[in-house]
Amino acid sequence: GSVVASYPYDDSPTHKPTGVYSKSADDEVFRYLAKAYASNHPIMRTGTPNCPGEEGETFQDGITNGAQWYDVEGGMQDYNYVWASCFEITLELSCCKYPPTSQLQQEWENNRESLLAFVEKV
C-alpha cells in the first residue's frame, strides 16, 4: 500500500516496470480529479507517505500516473476507461492494507474531506 491517488493509464505500450508516463486522452480531467482528492488529505497532499520499506517514495502533489509508478497490464481502471468510458482513479489510502480497528477512526478523519471534495467534482 501507499497513500496516493493514481490515474490512467496503469499500462504502457512498452510495459517497462516503472517510470513511463502513459497519458490518456482525458489526462487533464484525471489529474484534476486525483488532485481534488489528494489536496484535501493531510498525508496524501504532502506527497511523502513515508511507508515502511518505501520511505524514499514520493508523489508530486500526492498523485501519480499509474504506469509511471508501476506498470499494470489489464488493470480495472484502464479496462473501465477504455471499454465502458468510465472515469476511475485508484486511491491508495494507507501503507497497511488492513489497518487495525484502532486506526479506522483516524483513517476516516483523514479521508472525509477528500471524499466530499471528490464527490463534489464528479
Side-chain angles (χ1 to χ4, degrees):
S2 193
V3 184
V4 65
S6 173
Y7 55 91
Y9 287 117
D10 282 337
D11 196 5
S12 69
T14 63
H15 302 297
K16 187 177 172 189
T18 187
V20 176
Y21 195 101
S22 191
K23 186 176 181 176
S24 73
D26 296 295
D27 191 69
E28 287 184 42
V29 175
F30 282 119
R31 288 179 54 81
Y32 176 76
L33 293 173
K35 271 186 149 178
Y37 196 96
S39 66
N40 286 283
H41 190 285
I43 298 167
M44 198 178 293
R45 71 174 163 231
T46 69
T48 54
N50 202 28
C51 293
E54 299 289 338
E55 290 85 358
E57 188 170 61
T58 61
F59 304 99
Q60 185 174 349
D61 299 321
I63 68 173
T64 189
N65 173 262
Q68 186 170 25
W69 186 19
Y70 64 92
D71 194 90
V72 175
E73 188 174 353
M76 185 60 83
Q77 89 178 351
D78 289 1
Y79 179 87
N80 286 338
Y81 176 58
V82 172
W83 298 106
S85 299
C86 293
F87 284 47
E88 187 174 307
I89 64 171
T90 299
L91 301 167
E92 298 271 344
L93 302 178
S94 173
C95 298
C96 175
K97 291 291 186 187
Y98 303 101
T101 304
S102 62
Q103 293 178 5
L104 294 181
Q105 182 63 37
Q106 184 61 54
E107 290 298 331
W108 166 243
E109 290 171 17
N110 287 347
N111 288 282
R112 181 181 50 234
E113 292 304 317
S114 295
L115 286 164
L116 292 171
F118 184 76
V119 169
E120 288 172 359
K121 302 298 182 205
V122 297

